[in-house]
Amino acid sequence: MQQTRQTTIVDIANQLGVSPSTVSRALHDHPSISAKTKRNVVRLAEKYSYQPNLLALSLLNKRSGVIGILVPEITSYFFATVISGVQDMVSSAGYKLLICQSGESFEEEEKLLQDMALSRVDGVLISPTFRTNSFQHFERLKKTGIPLVIFDRDCPGFEADKVLVDSYDGAYQAVEYLIKTGCKRIAHIAGPIAIPTFKQRLDGYLNAHYDNNIPIRSELIVYSNGFSSDDGVEAATQLLDRHEKIDAIFAVNDAVSIGTTHVLRENGYRVPDDISLVGFDDESYAQYYFPSLSTVWQPVYELGMLSAKILLDRFANRGQLQSYRYEVLKPELVIRESSRIIAESTSSYALPNRPGTPLVHQA
Amino acid sequence: MQQTRQTTIVDIANQLGVSPSTVSRALHDHPSISAKTKRNVVRLAEKYSYQPNLLALSLLNKRSGVIGILVPEITSYFFATVISGVQDMVSSAGYKLLICQSGESFEEEEKLLQDMALSRVDGVLISPTFRTNSFQHFERLKKTGIPLVIFDRDCPGFEADKVLVDSYDGAYQAVEYLIKTGCKRIAHIAGPIAIPTFKQRLDGYLNAHYDNNIPIRSELIVYSNGFSSDDGVEAATQLLDRHEKIDAIFAVNDAVSIGTTHVLRENGYRVPDDISLVGFDDESYAQYYFPSLSTVWQPVYELGMLSAKILLDRFANRGQLQSYRYEVLKPELVIRESSRIIAESTSSYALPNRPGTPLVHQA
DNA sequence: TATCACCACGCAAAGGTTTGCGTAACAGGA
DNA sequence: TCCTGTTACGCAAACCTTTGCGTGGTGATA
């Protein structure tokens, strides 16, 4: 456990009676260093297992080789998978990843972004908290020359590179599917609509009704405070307490969905026989849930990859002014057992196709 | 998007006609700087929103303020939660977290550990791949003076600080519970026993049988290649193909459990009426699964916190030789609906108690 | 007036690496 | 012998901050 100081280029230089610059050049195979000197240097470097000090290099190059990513939380499958995609992309480009979570706290977000700037990260990927509606801290980052990519959660009115998933489209697909399969009274358990993503899902729900000439009933929409399974339980309870006739539920995500099925079951409703249910996210457990969840799959890993790619592109074209990119990825409906085709349904529904995914599981 | 160079201490010094050292001292409220100079410096620092360059500081202090954590994968709930605990602990001590995943690849593990050493992380937390059975790369790290804490997955024969969960005990509790509730033919879907954790769960299963004088039948144990839900499906299928009489299954984790229930259901078995099922991990969905999963809860967040704490303690006592710590956290059995008390069971089972967790959910 | 204390600040080194520029030594050609 | 070219390397700056030590100036005391 001896605190043996890391050997530096100077140590090697001294031992060989040459200058540090010679050692540096020798290690980089610079042409103006004799073969003999190179051999000596390399031999010693290996003997002491010399490793260049990246801190010194970063200071010199004004590049830390670190990319920061700030997410609301890392324990959710969604963000963990995004991070995974980002990780794979940036590490192949030789960057390291500094991961932080804001815990949906705006103050934390400000503080952590500040920290990242101090640590001189080369770029930042961020999915803002749902409380974030002022963007000075983003501006500050921009001003210091650190590129910024916003993903998953949009910041309307703030200009930056953005990579989003079309939640509106996913919700529209889901609800239209429910309508086409014969559902007339479709409830929606909405998430906190302060989050643009959740607002979009609500809009998709509404417009799918509108476009199909189904009246929208506000009594079928319940706004949840959060988007965990526990929130799902609460929202579903609230919904049932209204004693409205319901033949389908579109839940804001899978976590809420499973909380919802729990409540439905306890109240004697069968899914999908009495009520069709569609979630959002295609979580890892959705396929093996009982009944397996119909849901909307999102290209989460791809979201991470693309966001990282855009940041790397910024590095490559450093300094060159270029317009911000705005990328929107398409989600896909995955139909499983938690939704059914109602017999008296007249309109036929053309099933979407996603390779590798079982389309219909009828138990 | 102007690349406005970050203002440094020298810029301020020049503008004020003083030396950089004076500026530095002024900013740190050093007593030997006049109040007037301090005011001037602080005013300018605020005007240009000066931020000290952490890279330069790191180089000076030989401390990067970064802790590395290397896990097999970050998308699993288990590791994401560990990371969350680590994050909270280290950030409160002013450290940043560099998160990497090995993807269960030994070569990646070696490479990433090397990278971390290069980046001069101040310490490393690691949960090794299940292929890791040589430890030179750990030794190398130690030799450079970077403290190392191993968590969750033990490395038998390698000396280091370690924080583990007593999987043996958890498995023992689970299986003993099944026995006491009247099960006689308890199957086990084991994970890859190359992972010490899974080996321990198997051992707990075996010893609970032994201690309760129940014969062990090798035909009731199936060894899975992995530990995902898909692996669970495969293993459960294999188990049923043996046409053995079974009244309970102890699965190596919850993911495998839900794959297993899927297969059981498709083959006409009811859980828990025909077969009791107990998993491991208490994943987020376990409570809302149908039937809700009896499982073994692990203090995952605490695992992260404690591992980080031990590393921070090493920093505090830097240089001082002290013996390695070996901490083992206790898991707790959580009984839900997927297991039942068999009527003809004579022995009564004393339920364990965990505050805040519903102990028995009988539908 | 000489001595002393104290105030307020500057110098320079240290941390490790890279790189433009300069140069000593030597060989070869005229 | 002088000039030119090449080889093989060293010097010092640059990146930014901190800190031990030194110092010029001022006012007070003996």
Side-chain angles (χ1 to χ4, degrees), chain A residues 18-19 21-22 25 34 37 62:
Chain A
V18 298
S19 79
S21 37
T22 300
R25 280 189 257 254
S34 72
T37 308
K62 299 160 159 298

Side-chain angles (χ1 to χ4, degrees), chain A residues 14-82:
Chain A
N14 289 341
Q15 198 155 141
L16 248 55
V18 298
S19 79
S21 37
T22 300
V23 176
S24 172
R25 280 189 257 254
L27 291 173
H28 289 83
D29 206 30
H30 192 282
S32 78
I33 302 293
S34 72
K36 188 181 153 200
T37 308
K38 276 181 193 165
R39 264 201 309 280
N40 287 336
V41 168
V42 170
R43 193 158 40 77
L44 234 61
E46 280 176 356
K47 176 176 168 193
Y48 296 128
S49 61
Y50 163 79
Q51 296 184 327
N53 188 324
L54 249 53
L55 288 174
L57 269 173
S58 299
L59 185 58
L60 196 61
N61 300 332
K62 299 160 159 298
R63 281 191 48 239
S64 62
V66 174
I67 288 173
I69 181 167
L70 180 49
V71 295
E73 47 150 7
I74 55 180
T75 52
S76 84
Y77 178 75
F78 180 86
F79 286 116
T81 307
V82 172

Side-chain angles (χ1 to χ4, degrees), chain A residues 96-232:
Chain A
K96 280 151 304 211
L97 202 57
L98 191 64
I99 306 174
C100 295
Q101 48 184 344
S102 62
E104 303 283 6
S105 151
F106 180 71
E107 288 72 27
E108 268 299 291
E109 181 174 293
E110 279 187 308
K111 186 181 138 320
L112 290 169
L113 231 45
Q114 165 82 357
D115 274 6
M116 286 187 180
L118 259 120
S119 308
R120 298 293 199 277
V121 295
D122 294 333
V124 170
L125 297 159
I126 185 170
S127 189
T129 76
F130 65 83
R131 293 177 235 273
T132 302
N133 45 26
S134 95
F135 310 118
Q136 287 103 322
H137 53 318
F138 293 171
E139 292 289 1
R140 266 198 297 276
L141 209 66
K142 268 204 214 166
K143 227 183 310 177
T144 65
I146 300 177
L148 180 71
V149 176
I150 293 172
F151 67 91
D152 185 47
R153 298 186 183 174
D154 200 0
C155 294
F158 180 76
E159 296 262 302
D161 288 316
K162 292 177 182 176
V163 184
L164 307 171
V165 175
D166 194 342
S167 267
Y168 170 85
D169 182 68
Y172 192 99
Q173 282 186 57
V175 175
E176 178 150 75
Y177 157 75
L178 288 171
I179 293 171
K180 301 280 187 189
T181 55
C183 299
K184 307 278 187 215
R185 301 180 64 96
I186 304 168
H188 178 41
I189 299 183
I193 56 169
I195 303 186
T197 304
F198 294 155
K199 175 69 166 56
Q200 286 173 30
R201 291 182 195 174
L202 172 61
D203 289 343
Y205 166 85
L206 295 174
N207 274 5
H209 278 74
Y210 183 82
D211 292 350
N212 287 278
N213 296 313
I214 309 255
I216 290 158
R217 301 172 206 275
S218 63
E219 62 272 21
L220 294 187
I221 302 175
V222 43
Y223 298 88
S224 172
N225 295 321
F227 39 96
S228 69
S229 294
D230 287 339
D231 295 314

Side-chain angles (χ1 to χ4, degrees), chain B residues 72-83:
Chain B
E73 47 150 7
I74 55 181
T75 52
S76 85
Y77 179 75
F78 180 86
F79 286 116
T81 307
V82 171
I83 289 172

